[in-house]
Amino acid sequence: KQAVVGLELIFRHAGIKHEHNKGAAFFTNKMLSEGTLGKDSNLISNEIDKYGAFLQLSPGLDYASVDIYMLSRYVHPLLATLRELITESTFPVSELQKLKKIQKQQLQVNDKKSSVLASKTFKAALFGAYHPYGMSLTKEMINAVEQEDLLYFFQHQLKKGLEIIISGDVNTEVLQAIEEHFGDLPLTADLPSADKLPERIKAEEKRIIIEQVDNLQSSIRLGCPMFTKTHQDYHKMQILNTIFGGYFGSRLMRNIREDKGFTYGISSGLVALCDAGYFVIGTDVKKEDTANAIEEIYKEMAHLREVPLGDTELNIVKNYMAGRLLSSVDTPFALAEKFKNIHLYGLTYNFYKNHLNTINTIDAASLQQAAQKYLVEENMQEVIIGAYQ
């Protein structure tokens, strides 16, 4: 009902996993709006603001994307600017130096936050510090990034090909404008698949503790490698995760927050990337409660393995998940996101049908079997930032 169009440009060969020089993917994506052959950053920013549009540049592990939301009557001038960004960006040295300085300042601030450091350390422990899925930008990597790295990545990766997802007030004029401004550019679908990722290098220690004496809290991350959305147990594990720690009424919340009072919040989740996946539990607790909190997490895992779910709890979770799926497709932009989440994995809409069917038909015995298979204490990597007391 609103005359608004959402446009997402997806560059499947411009994710962090495709870079040869560390940091090139991140800085190339973030600097697309910092200057082109015909415009500087101020002119680009003013043009986007003048038409009331919203631009978002998103570097990612598997792919990069550029999103713009705009009034449909301003599609032509905004798409002309957007084309410039993805074909004529120049990555001015002065703007690069500003962005590098900002990123180093943010890195310095974030590395003092135990929750940020815990997440970074956990991913490095699962995949390896130099694996694309386990790597985090360091000060040394940021310092080493040069304009030539961005120009090379821009020409050889980002400009290789794109796909466009359009949502909202899409009419004939909008489609014609997209064809006019982007129709001659190469498509990702015409390109060969990317090279395989390097082997995962798992940490040797099961428990990694980084002491932070001044902190009053410990940040905890527990988890293990899992699988992608194409795995046969993906939907089953999503339901099990919801019961375990995936919503406010989960077992972890009831035990560790409400009963024990160790934390304000605890959650678990499945992270599905294109070439790998992992399961992670995260919380911040008082230092003196660190060991007890971890013990209680494992107790909840054991309980799911050993005792079948009751009908009441299972029905509550089923209703919650079914309702959540319905409420997540209430706008055209949300529908586009749902489409993207299957398209990038080579899946069809049967993925959502299977998800809903699994929710409706799964029983306690199947979930107990999944817990026995996947919620195993011996498989869990532990990261603690603070102290283990």
Side-chain angles (χ1 to χ4, degrees):
K1 295 179 181 179
Q2 304 298 323
V4 179
V5 174
L7 198 77
E8 181 169 9
L9 309 182
I10 297 174
F11 305 91
R12 290 215 207 189
H13 289 259
I16 289 169
K17 71 181 184 183
H18 301 104
E19 65 186 7
H20 299 290
N21 295 318
K22 303 301 183 187
F26 174 85
F27 282 98
T28 300
N29 181 277
K30 284 297 186 183
M31 285 197 62
L32 288 174
S33 61
E34 298 301 327
T36 65
L37 294 174
K39 296 173 182 158
D40 63 16
S41 59
N42 287 330
L43 187 54
I44 292 168
S45 179
N46 288 338
E47 281 199 2
I48 292 167
D49 290 343
K50 179 173 69 174
Y51 294 112
F54 171 74
L55 179 71
Q56 181 172 304
L57 307 172
S58 304
L61 295 172
D62 290 308
Y63 61 91
S65 64
V66 175
D67 299 81
I68 190 166
Y69 297 91
M70 54 197 162
L71 294 171
S72 50
R73 64 179 179 270
Y74 297 136
V75 161
H76 272 286
L78 286 165
L79 292 190
T81 297
L82 198 59
R83 181 189 168 100
E84 279 189 64
L85 302 189
I86 66 170
T87 60
E88 299 179 12
S89 284
T90 55
F91 311 100
V93 172
S94 59
E95 299 293 344
L96 175 59
Q97 294 306 319
K98 288 179 189 176
L99 183 57
K100 287 171 67 171
K101 184 177 179 181
I102 291 169
Q103 289 303 312
K104 285 189 285 187
Q105 289 172 342
Q106 289 182 354
L107 184 67
Q108 189 174 9
V109 171
N110 286 336
D111 278 350
K112 292 178 182 177
K113 299 175 182 177
S114 60
S115 59
V116 175
L117 187 57
S119 295
K120 289 165 66 170
T121 305
F122 176 75
K123 288 190 291 183
L126 281 193
F127 295 101
Y130 293 97
H131 189 284
Y133 289 165
M135 184 198 76
S136 298
L137 275 179
T138 64
K139 182 179 177 181
E140 292 72 25
M141 291 176 186
I142 294 171
N143 285 334
V145 171
E146 301 290 348
Q147 182 192 42
E148 291 75 18
D149 300 323
L150 310 192
L151 289 168
Y152 182 89
F153 191 83
F154 182 60
Q155 292 293 337
H156 294 87
Q157 297 298 142
L158 191 137
K159 288 175 71 173
K160 262 188 172 182
L162 80 159
E163 293 170 274
I164 303 175
I165 297 177
I166 319 151
S167 54
D169 183 28
V170 182
N171 53 40
T172 303
E173 184 181 352
V174 169
L175 293 173
Q176 288 174 344
I178 292 168
E179 182 63 28
E180 177 183 331
H181 293 286
F182 299 103
D184 63 323
L185 298 180
L187 291 168
T188 302
D190 297 334
L191 298 170
S193 58
D195 295 336
K196 286 187 176 181
L197 290 178
E199 290 294 319
R200 184 174 67 88
I201 303 174
K202 189 178 182 297
E204 293 181 1
E205 320 96 278
K206 174 182 172 59
R207 177 176 293 157
I208 297 173
I209 302 173
I210 298 178
E211 295 277 354
Q212 290 192 340
V213 179
D214 296 332
N215 281 17
L216 298 176
Q217 289 188 317
S218 291
S219 290
I220 300 170
R221 297 293 181 273
L222 269 69
C224 60
M226 202 59 70
F227 34 68
T228 69
K229 294 178 182 179
T230 60
H231 194 277
Q232 61 182 1
D233 286 342
Y234 180 79
H235 300 299
K236 187 186 298 183
M237 190 59 195
Q238 283 283 16
I239 299 167
L240 182 63
N241 170 69
T242 303
I243 294 163
F244 181 65
Y247 80 122
F248 195 78
S250 70
R251 291 192 174 190
L252 288 181
M253 284 290 280
R254 294 202 307 268
N255 179 341
I256 295 171
R257 181 184 189 272
E258 295 174 14
D259 183 27
K260 303 298 188 303
F262 291 158
T263 181
Y264 285 110
I266 182 170
S267 63
S268 64
L270 285 177
V271 179
L273 302 163
C274 282
D275 297 303
Y278 59 91
F279 173 68
V280 60
I281 304 155
T283 189
D284 295 327
V285 301
K286 289 183 290 186
K287 273 187 178 180
E288 57 268 28
D289 295 328
T290 304
N292 289 331
I294 293 174
E295 182 181 353
E296 292 301 322
I297 290 170
Y298 287 138
K299 280 183 181 178
E300 290 299 338
M301 283 188 189
H303 196 252
L304 281 169
R305 292 194 305 267
E306 295 163 5
V307 182
L309 282 162
D311 291 339
T312 301
E313 183 180 17
L314 182 54
N315 287 331
I316 288 172
V317 170
K318 284 184 173 187
N319 290 333
Y320 166 79
M321 293 187 72
R324 188 180 177 192
L325 178 63
L326 291 173
S327 65
S328 69
V329 289
D330 57 352
T331 70
F333 305 136
L335 283 168
E337 189 68 21
K338 280 285 186 284
F339 168 75
K340 183 181 75 172
N341 286 340
I342 56 174
H343 174 66
L344 292 175
Y345 287 87
L347 298 167
T348 69
Y349 281 112
N350 284 331
F351 175 82
Y352 295 115
K353 292 179 182 178
N354 292 338
H355 182 67
L356 196 54
N357 183 59
T358 305
I359 291 171
N360 289 332
T361 61
I362 199 162
D363 57 22
S366 296
L367 288 167
Q368 186 177 9
Q369 290 169 3
Q372 291 166 352
K373 187 174 182 180
Y374 298 115
L375 297 185
V376 181
E377 180 176 342
E378 290 73 23
N379 297 340
M380 296 293 154
Q381 174 70 52
E382 302 174 8
V383 169
I384 299 150
I385 309 297
Y388 184 73
Q389 296 178 0

